[in-house]
Structures are given as C-alpha cells and as structure tokens.
Amino acid sequence: MWKIGDVEIDNRVVLAPMAGVCNSAFRLTVKEFGAGLVCAEMVSDKAILFNNPKTMNMLYIDENERPLSLQIFGGEKETLVEAAVYVDQNTTADIIDINMGCPVNKIIRCEAGARWLLDPNKIYEMVSAVTEKVSKPVTCKMRIGWDEDHIYAVENAKAAERAGAAAISLHGRTRVQMYEGHADWDIIKQVKEAVNIPVIGNGDVTSPELAQKMLDETGVDAVMIGREALGNPWMIYRTVHYLETGELMDEPTVKEKVEIALLHLRRLVELKGEKIGVMEMRKHASWYLKGVKGNGKARKALNQANTEQEMIDILQNFQAESTAATATQQA
C-alpha cells in the first residue's frame, strides 16, 4: 500500500487516463480486475464551467471505482482553478489530476496539455494556483519533454513538487514522439531520484514482466498501464498478481473475453443509452477479440452493429464457433 496525499492505494498498478475510453463503464470493469487506482479521461476546464451536458456526464463516478483520479486540462489559470474547485467540491473523485502531456494539436492550441512542458515556471504557477484552492490531492500527468532538444522532465517535476503536487505520472516519450518509438525509462528514473513525492512510470509496460522491470530499473512507486488494457483488463489483473507473487497467470480464454465484453457492453448502454453505448462499444469489442484466431468476420460485424442485441448475438455466436473449432482441432 502507498499513498497520494492522504489517499491510500492498495497496489502498484494504475490505469492511465485515456481520452474517449476511460468512462465509468471501462474504469469500473478495470477496477474489478484489481487496479489500485483508476484515472478518468481528461475533461476541459471551460466545458465544466460552461456546464456542458456531455462534459458533466463525464464527471459521473461509481463508488466502486474509488480511489479515482479525475483529470482536467486548460491553458488559463483562472478557468483551470475554477474547474478544479468545482471537481473538488462537487464530485467524489479522490484526486485531481492536471494534464500536461496530451500531444494533440487542438489541446496544444489552447496552451494546454504538452504545451506546458516547455515552461517549468508556468507549471509552478498553474499547479500552485490549483493546490492553494482545493482540498483534494493534486497530481500532474506529464511527458519527459516537447522533443529531444527540449527535455525538461526533472525541472518540470521539481516545479510541480514545489507547487504542492502530491504525485507525478510520467510518460517516457516526448510530445513529438506521440505514441511511437520507445519510452525513455532512464529519464523516468532521473525524475524519481529528483523529487520526494510519488512517481508513477508510464510507457512500454506491455507485460507483467515489464512492469516489474520498470519498477526495478527506475524505482518508481507504481506503473501506469494504458493502451495494453484496451479490451484486455486481464493485463491489470495479471500484472497485480505477478508483482505480488512472481507467478505469471495464463492469458484469458475466448469464453472469458466474450463474457467481459458483454459485461462492458451492458455497462456502456446503461451509462450512455443504447445508441451511443453500442457505437462506443464497437472499438472495445474489436479490442476484446484482438489476437483471437478467426476474428475477422466477427469484428467486421461488430463494427456495423446498431443494437445491443445485435452485439450480444455476434459475440455469443463467435464464442460458440471458436469453441467448436477448438474442439474439432483437439479431437
């Protein structure tokens, strides 16, 4: 067990905040697979202040997800602070996270996200303004730098710490790298050695063994898993188990994949209604079937499904066909 501020976290595996993915349906499912902390997808400070209906729905938290970190982004101090105060006083989030790592242009143009990586002074100014006004612990999600010529990870982390941040999540890639190339764990190690607050390492943790390797090589307090958990919450469960016991558990069966996909579908429909829930589940369903032999026809059908029942039928039929094919091969 470790802590972010006064928030106790049971293990060293954290679900990354992924835009368009980390809604309550996904977070709750991953939480049930053992994540010590789950992070909500980023929300705009101005959208919160404008009471945007879609954004306000994104603030929904199921009590069973906690502890939970809710991430906000913005480029102006006044609106960022106001949004943080709203989250502090009107949601059950345990932690407020500030995004300073998002690499996409529309966020950069708002002077938000990874734009902050170029200016440690702005990081100090913005984070201190937030920490002074809220009671929940404030954390920062950042990248190592803008590009290979502007890597200010240590300076940025120290600025966040001085400003009152309770922890830092560090993705070992630059803004220019986006999600390509290799994550630089050496810089993550340098940051961990430079600050006295918890550091969560992020990037290239694609197996339980690599999670252990990151912990050993960098000294971080926890590992953050993002894309590897898409359609694969077993990655969370297997990693937690491996870190605690050294035992590597088997990959899930097709039956298990379909069962959790159906659970995820039901939760998405309950959360967002059938039309939007099914639309959003299309990508998740494909992720669940990724790597399963003979999945092409089912994945195509899932991407064209319009109702919950259609998706249920496609997934159940795929499971039956896969089971029958396996039995034939073993006979």
Side-chain angles (χ1 to χ4, degrees):
M1 184 175 289
W2 58 291
K3 286 185 174 184
I4 293 178
D6 58 356
V7 179
E8 293 187 347
I9 301 169
D10 287 341
N11 61 57
R12 304 174 80 183
V13 181
V14 178
L15 174 69
M18 292 176 283
V21 172
C22 285
N23 53 50
S24 180
F26 180 71
R27 298 191 310 256
L28 181 58
T29 303
V30 172
K31 184 68 176 181
E32 290 171 346
F33 274 81
L37 175 69
V38 295
C39 302
E41 58 189 315
M42 66 179 186
V43 292
S44 160
D45 58 352
K46 288 184 171 63
I48 291 173
L49 300 180
F50 291 154
N51 205 29
N52 177 276
K54 182 179 178 182
T55 298
M56 303 316 283
N57 288 337
M58 290 167 68
L59 301 181
Y60 171 77
I61 298 166
D62 186 299
E63 280 299 301
N64 293 314
E65 299 175 51
R66 299 178 64 192
L68 175 134
S69 170
L70 200 154
Q71 188 181 77
I72 59 175
F73 73 90
E76 298 173 18
K77 182 165 60 177
E78 183 178 342
T79 52
L80 189 73
V81 170
E82 285 186 51
V85 169
Y86 182 90
V87 171
D88 189 47
Q89 297 179 357
N90 296 281
T91 78
T92 56
D94 300 277
I95 296 163
I96 299 170
D97 188 60
I98 301 174
N99 181 296
M100 52 186 78
C102 182
V104 301
N105 287 329
K106 70 177 182 179
I107 305 300
I108 300 296
R109 284 195 294 268
C110 300
E111 295 297 319
R115 175 63 75 187
W116 291 23
L117 300 173
L118 292 165
D119 189 354
N121 291 327
K122 177 170 184 174
I123 289 175
Y124 175 79
E125 179 186 357
M126 300 288 271
V127 176
S128 60
V130 172
T131 58
E132 287 171 6
K133 295 293 185 179
V134 301
S135 59
K136 299 180 192 290
V138 175
T139 60
C140 303
K141 174 86 162 63
M142 59 178 66
R143 287 173 174 252
I144 59 172
W146 181 264
D147 57 29
E148 61 181 16
D149 297 320
H150 299 85
I151 293 179
Y152 306 143
V154 170
E155 297 91 331
N156 290 339
K158 284 183 173 181
E161 181 180 34
R162 287 198 312 274
I168 291 164
S169 301
L170 184 61
H171 185 167
R173 291 182 174 85
T174 64
R175 186 263 170 170
V176 169
Q177 279 182 278
M178 300 291 282
Y179 300 97
E180 304 299 323
H182 293 292
D184 192 327
W185 289 7
D186 287 337
I187 295 176
I188 294 176
K189 180 181 180 181
Q190 290 171 26
V191 168
K192 175 56 188 171
E193 292 172 346
V195 298
N196 296 308
I197 54 177
V199 175
I200 304 166
N202 179 213
D204 292 349
V205 178
T206 56
S207 69
E209 298 98 319
L210 284 172
Q212 184 67 67
K213 187 178 182 188
M214 175 183 270
L215 290 169
D216 293 341
E217 292 186 1
T218 67
V220 292
D221 300 87
V223 295
M224 179 173 276
I225 296 172
R227 289 173 291 168
E228 202 62 32
L230 298 175
N232 185 24
W234 295 269
M235 172 63 181
I236 303 293
Y237 180 71
R238 294 174 75 240
T239 301
V240 171
H241 186 79
Y242 184 78
L243 295 181
E244 292 178 350
T245 69
E247 177 190 9
L248 191 61
M249 302 187 73
D250 291 338
E251 294 279 3
T253 63
V254 175
K255 182 175 184 291
E256 289 170 330
K257 284 176 176 264
V258 169
E259 284 176 352
I260 300 303
L262 291 170
L263 172 65
H264 193 164
L265 169 62
R266 187 178 78 241
R267 284 176 169 163
L268 259 181
V269 170
E270 288 173 355
L271 182 69
K272 300 199 171 190
E274 183 173 42
K275 183 177 180 180
I276 296 174
V278 168
M279 289 283 286
E280 291 198 6
M281 189 63 197
R282 289 175 176 178
K283 60 189 177 187
H284 288 283
S286 289
W287 288 328
Y288 277 105
L289 299 189
K290 185 180 178 181
V292 179
K293 188 175 181 180
N295 67 22
K297 181 181 175 182
R299 289 175 74 175
K300 184 176 180 180
L302 286 164
N303 280 326
Q304 296 173 345
N306 293 307
T307 68
E308 182 179 10
Q309 191 58 51
E310 278 183 81
M311 280 201 158
I312 292 171
D313 292 343
I314 293 164
L315 287 165
Q316 289 180 338
N317 289 338
F318 176 76
Q319 180 191 325
E321 290 170 6
S322 180
T323 302
T326 300
T328 300
Q329 290 171 0
Q330 294 174 344

